[in-house]
Amino acid sequence: MKSSNPVFARSAEFNGKGTATASDPSQWQIDLNGEGSPTHTGRGTGRMTLDSVVEKTAISLGLLTVAAAVTWFMIGDLNSGDVTADNAAYSKAFIFAMGGAIIGLVLSLVNSFKKVISPPLVIAYAVVEGVFVGAFSKVIASYVGDPTVVFQAVLATVVAFAGTLAAYKFFNIQVTDKFRKVVTIAIFSFVGVMLVNFVLSLTGVLESGGLRGFGTLGLVVSAVAVVLAVLMLIMDFDYVERGVEAGLPERESWRAAFGLTVTLVWLYIEMLRILAILRGDN
């Protein structure tokens, strides 16, 4: 299965270089294991199934949530009224957020470019990214002055995920090679622009975060990011569906779980930013 998605591209099974799967989808052979449907098969079959993907994704998101919650409480109150305590809390939040973001980026690149997926590295990514999510959420909640904004962002992410999945299944959305290339180029372009914006903001060339500020421009950029994340979800669903049908090795469930986790975290962060900007304007 040839893929333009960087999360899946290094997999020998997904990029068509492995012996288990032909690169031409018309040549794939579905392994039913004598059970009728490859989508739901029992454990120990050695094949990637929808159940195994859901299980691994649940583990990844569960660990991420626990790490985020622990980080949230470790940071403490950011608006206690005590200047010294607040400064210490903000410093802690900054360290957690930057550390989680940087280490998470490194782990995501390692996981993306490994030909053989490593479950421990996927788990490590989930935990580290959870630290970033917890710290970032804490800062945004403090900025808005209402911690319920985090719940609202989680709810919006769940609704977006469910809506995208429903649209993918009910409207039978076909992910073509052209679709993959266009979305992948758009995402890499977006990330590249954001990295440049980040560097220029750190060096003082751009004020108030530039494109990632909390004004109208920042709102537009986050809205574009949400659209890209939704398109990425559609690609993720397609990879999972095709992988299950092709009977890929069960370890590839971890790669699918990693890809879904990356996309969902991105979607959540953008939803949280949008809500914060809207709240800040009121």
Side-chain angles (χ1 to χ4, degrees), residues 20-262:
T21 309
S23 58
D24 183 358
S26 65
Q27 298 177 6
W28 294 344
Q29 294 182 351
I30 301 176
D31 184 359
L32 302 179
N33 290 318
E35 299 293 337
S37 171
T39 303
H40 295 278
T41 56
R43 291 185 180 181
T45 61
R47 295 295 184 182
M48 173 179 170
T49 66
L50 182 57
D51 289 340
S52 67
V53 172
V54 170
E55 179 185 78
K56 304 305 188 296
T57 303
I59 292 174
S60 179
L61 292 177
L63 290 172
L64 187 149
T65 302
V66 171
V70 171
T71 302
W72 175 286
F73 288 109
M74 285 182 63
I75 292 174
D77 191 357
L78 296 177
N79 295 313
S80 64
D82 185 329
V83 177
T84 301
D86 289 347
N87 288 338
Y90 271 105
S91 296
K92 188 184 297 184
F94 177 79
I95 292 173
F96 282 149
M98 290 300 296
I102 294 173
I103 298 175
L105 175 61
V106 172
L107 287 174
S108 67
L109 291 174
V110 172
N111 282 320
S112 297
F113 288 98
K114 279 184 68 66
K115 291 184 177 181
V116 179
I117 192 66
S118 170
L121 287 180
V122 174
I123 291 174
Y125 167 80
V127 172
V128 171
E129 198 69 7
V131 173
F132 163 72
V133 168
F136 185 80
S137 299
K138 187 75 173 184
V139 172
I140 295 299
S142 175
Y143 168 77
V144 174
D146 182 7
T148 61
V149 70
V150 174
F151 172 76
Q152 293 169 2
V154 171
L155 182 60
T157 302
V158 172
V159 171
F161 176 85
T164 304
L165 179 58
Y168 174 77
K169 296 300 293 183
F170 294 145
F171 294 102
N172 194 27
I173 297 176
Q174 299 298 315
V175 179
T176 63
D177 288 338
K178 183 177 180 180
F179 180 93
R180 294 190 190 97
K181 290 178 181 178
V182 171
V183 173
T184 301
I185 291 173
I187 290 174
F188 274 113
S189 299
F190 181 87
V191 172
V193 171
M194 292 304 102
L195 287 175
V196 172
N197 180 81
F198 178 71
V199 173
L200 293 179
S201 298
L202 283 182
T203 55
V205 176
L206 295 177
E207 298 180 354
S208 302
L211 297 176
R212 298 302 271 172
F214 285 84
T216 303
L217 183 58
L219 179 63
V220 173
V221 172
S222 286
V224 171
V226 167
V227 173
L228 291 176
V230 168
L231 294 176
M232 194 69 175
L233 269 180
I234 292 175
M235 292 172 60
D236 291 340
F237 295 152
D238 178 70
Y239 295 140
V240 171
E241 187 173 51
R242 294 193 180 198
V244 170
E245 290 178 349
L248 298 185
E250 186 177 6
R251 68 170 182 272
E252 290 301 320
S253 298
W254 282 105
R255 194 183 302 275
F258 169 66
L260 287 168
T261 301
V262 170

